[in-house]
């Protein structure tokens, strides 16, 4: 067996023994796990310009579906629309697939097709085209991530896009030295429970100077044995900077349409000096995102949307009179009050707190008055008309609000 084949076998063995992330199908009765990418309003905003009609047939692929988070989220949200939809789940692990299937059964979902296999074989296992493809936490475990991404992008339907997640190198400080240390001490050919037990012994005695111990954003190894193994004992694991992701996408003819959360990839979130802001403004969008990543140093994963380069200008929703602003998990009245009384919006991310000033009022009209009317039913044009402001005058008032709330990933536009 070649070394690559041996490593692949070890990866398969890991996920058979310790399906990841750990999930209990009984929890489906309590909650639907949602997140980025693949939250339907979010992917509509960043892949389909906010104008995808989900009452029409929609076909999605979740490549490397694991225990089912992305698959269940997509299928459950699509099931709330009247269209004929199919979500195809694909993963190498039969154990992970079993958990995902049990979760789907618990929810009564019938719009999922489950497959076992490698995403590299997608052209023969489940031929596209797909309107949307998710690959979260899988490409960075392949021997050739570029080949995996190209295999997936080849199955995109015209007008489609991808939701991806790759490890971030700057936020995983301490992970790779610890992986190397554990490889020196623990062979991959001993039973997995013994590997976990030995790793825990080393972790229990780390000196205070250890980089992993000092990293405030990495804690998977503390949550479960599956999390520990996936973080520190994985046989094949690589991380990426924003620029490296840009090169990876370029090779596949793709470009990032959004990084989630957008404000964390915006240098203006960190740079207050006007001269430095002006210098940052001269950079390309990719370089600006890379600059923000370097300044923050807390991004342990990169979740983002990607589309064929020819579609980039049309992928992201742009404010228009007929589009409806949708606030996710933020009650309009409460948010309006916060923006008005506090004059700022503070958001806590892992190991960093970002504070954004409320956009200033113009002629007595500003963010609080606009946000209070974002009930998920009124279009932007209707909000402007209700405020007795013409669209050309309303748009400059709205745009700072749009940047603020899309930046924290709480506002999406939809038709």
């Amino acid at each position: 067996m070649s070394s690559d084949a041996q490593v692949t076998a070890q990866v398969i063995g890991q996920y058979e023994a310790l399906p990841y992330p750990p999930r209990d199908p009984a929890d489906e009765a309590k909650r639907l796990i949602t997140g980025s990418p693949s939250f339907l309003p979010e992917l509509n905003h960043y892949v389909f310009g906010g104008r995808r009609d989900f009452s029409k047939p929609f076909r999605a692929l979740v490549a490397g579906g694991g225990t089912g988070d992305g698959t269940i989220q997509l299928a459950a949200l699509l099931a709330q629309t009247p269209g004929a939809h199919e979500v195809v789940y694909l993963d190498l692990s039969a154990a992970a697939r079993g958990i995902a299937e049990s979760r789907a059964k618990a929810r009564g979902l019938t719009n999922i097709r489950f497959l076992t296999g490698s995403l590299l074989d997608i052209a023969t296992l489940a031929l596209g085209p797909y309107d949307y493809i998710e690959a979260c936490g899988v490409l960075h475990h392949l021997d050739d991530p570029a080949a995996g991404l190209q295999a997936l992008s080849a199955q995109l339907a015209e007008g489609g896009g991808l939701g991806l997640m790759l490890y971030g190198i700057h936020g995983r400080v301490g992970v790779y030295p610890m992986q190397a240390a554990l490889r020196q001490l623990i062979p991959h050919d001993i039973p997995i429970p013994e590997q976990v037990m030995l790793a825990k012994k080393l972790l229990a005695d780390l000196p205070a100077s250890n980089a992993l111990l000092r990293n405030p954003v990495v804690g998977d190894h503390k949550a479960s044995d599956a999390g520990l193994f996936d973080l520190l004992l994985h046989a094949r694991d690589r991380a990426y900077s924003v620029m490296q992701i840009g090169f990876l996408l370029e090779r596949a003819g793709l470009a990032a349409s959004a990084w989630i959360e957008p404000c964390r990839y915006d240098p203006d979130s960190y740079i207050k000096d006007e001269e430095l802001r002006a210098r940052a403004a001269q950079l390309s969008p990719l370089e600006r995102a890379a600059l923000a990543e370097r300044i923050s140093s807390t991004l342990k994963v990169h979740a983002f949307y990607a589309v064929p380069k020819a579609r980039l200008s049309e992928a992201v929703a742009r404010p228009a009179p007929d589009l409806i602003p949708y606030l996710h998990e933020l009650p309009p009245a409460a948010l309006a009050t916060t923006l008005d009384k506090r004059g700022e919006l503070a958001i806590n991310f892992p190991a960093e707190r970002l504070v954004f000033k409320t956009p200033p009022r113009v002629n007595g009209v500003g963010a609080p008055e606009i946000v209070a009317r974002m009930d998920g039913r009124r279009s932007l044009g209707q909000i402007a008309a209700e405020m007795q402001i013409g669209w050309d005058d309303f748009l400059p008032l709205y745009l700072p609000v749009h940047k603020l709330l899309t930046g924290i990933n709480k506002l999406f536009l939809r038709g």
Side-chain angles (χ1 to χ4, degrees):
M1 186 183 294
S2 69
S3 59
D4 288 344
Q6 288 175 329
V7 172
T8 298
Q10 290 167 1
V11 172
I12 295 172
Q14 169 191 336
Y15 291 120
E16 292 296 345
L18 296 170
Y20 186 82
R23 293 290 182 251
D24 182 353
D27 290 341
E28 298 304 313
K30 307 172 187 175
R31 61 168 180 166
L32 172 65
I33 296 175
T34 60
S36 303
S38 299
F39 179 56
L40 211 56
E42 179 187 89
L43 76 87
N44 186 21
H45 183 104
Y46 289 117
V47 175
F48 301 109
R51 298 185 179 278
R52 186 59 161 88
D53 182 357
F54 290 101
S55 67
K56 296 180 179 179
F58 186 81
R59 194 163 186 243
L61 167 69
V62 181
T67 51
D69 283 2
T71 303
I72 300 301
Q73 172 179 224
L74 265 175
L77 295 177
L78 286 169
Q80 297 173 13
T81 67
H85 309 306
E86 179 185 49
V87 179
V88 177
Y89 164 105
L90 179 66
D91 198 278
L92 281 169
S93 169
R97 171 180 167 174
I99 294 172
E101 286 183 304
S102 294
R103 294 175 66 185
K105 183 178 180 181
R107 285 192 172 272
L109 296 172
T110 59
N111 55 353
I112 307 173
R113 180 156 60 100
F114 289 92
L115 299 172
T116 300
S118 168
L119 66 83
L120 295 172
D121 300 322
I122 187 61
T124 54
L125 287 172
L127 186 66
Y130 293 96
D131 300 293
Y132 175 72
I133 297 174
E134 177 197 295
C136 286
V138 59
L139 293 176
H140 49 229
H141 292 318
L142 297 179
D143 179 54
D144 187 348
L149 182 58
Q150 288 169 352
L152 294 178
S153 63
Q155 300 302 317
L156 274 181
E158 183 177 355
L162 303 97
L164 305 168
M165 186 277 278
L166 293 168
Y167 291 150
I169 194 165
H170 296 305
R172 283 167 69 87
V173 169
V175 169
Y176 295 102
M178 185 55 58
Q179 285 187 3
L182 291 171
R183 279 195 295 270
Q184 287 184 277
L185 296 170
I186 305 172
H188 274 297
D189 58 358
I190 65 174
I192 284 177
E194 187 176 350
Q195 293 184 51
V196 171
M197 179 268 294
L198 291 171
K200 286 180 176 179
K201 288 185 175 181
L202 181 60
L203 292 172
D205 293 325
L206 292 178
S209 60
N210 180 267
L212 178 65
L213 197 63
R214 295 163 63 88
N215 186 335
V217 300
V218 174
D220 304 47
H221 55 301
K222 303 173 185 177
S224 64
D225 288 355
L228 185 154
F229 204 103
D230 201 65
L231 182 73
L232 299 176
L233 293 167
H234 205 290
R236 186 189 286 134
D237 170 353
R238 70 190 75 200
Y240 291 83
S241 68
V242 162
M243 292 303 296
Q244 289 170 334
I245 291 175
F247 298 145
L248 185 69
L249 294 174
E250 178 77 24
R251 289 179 61 183
L254 302 168
S257 59
W259 304 86
I260 306 300
E261 294 87 1
C263 67
R264 304 184 75 190
Y265 293 86
D266 182 353
D268 289 353
S269 297
Y270 308 100
I271 300 174
K272 305 309 175 186
D273 182 82
E274 292 302 325
E275 180 183 355
L276 293 176
R277 279 193 170 194
R279 289 174 179 269
Q282 303 303 310
L283 301 173
S284 71
L286 183 66
E287 290 170 328
R288 282 178 59 82
L291 175 60
E293 176 197 21
R294 291 166 180 148
I295 295 172
S296 168
S297 299
T298 64
L299 297 167
K300 68 174 182 177
V301 300
H302 298 296
F304 58 100
Y305 291 95
V307 297
K309 291 176 67 176
R311 285 202 61 236
L312 188 58
S313 63
E314 67 186 45
V316 182
R318 300 175 183 274
D322 65 315
L323 289 182
I324 299 169
Y326 161 71
L327 284 174
H328 178 52
E329 298 178 330
L330 290 178
L335 176 59
T337 299
T338 296
L339 292 172
D340 187 26
K341 292 188 175 181
R342 297 186 181 178
E344 65 183 26
L345 192 60
I347 308 297
N348 293 315
F349 296 107
E352 69 180 4
R353 178 181 174 86
L354 299 181
V355 180
F356 304 97
K357 291 182 179 180
T358 301
R361 284 185 168 92
V362 178
N363 297 324
V365 178
E369 291 74 27
I370 295 172
V371 167
R373 291 170 167 83
M374 291 182 176
D375 59 1
R377 296 185 297 273
R378 295 179 177 98
S379 70
L380 290 174
Q382 289 171 327
I383 292 174
E386 185 175 298
M387 298 175 71
Q388 298 183 330
I389 303 174
W391 177 255
D392 289 343
D393 292 325
F394 175 79
L395 187 58
L397 296 173
Y398 171 73
L399 286 176
V401 180
H402 183 84
K403 180 180 179 181
L404 170 63
L405 298 179
T406 57
I408 62 174
N409 210 39
K410 294 298 184 181
L411 172 64
F412 310 113
L413 298 180
R414 60 190 182 190

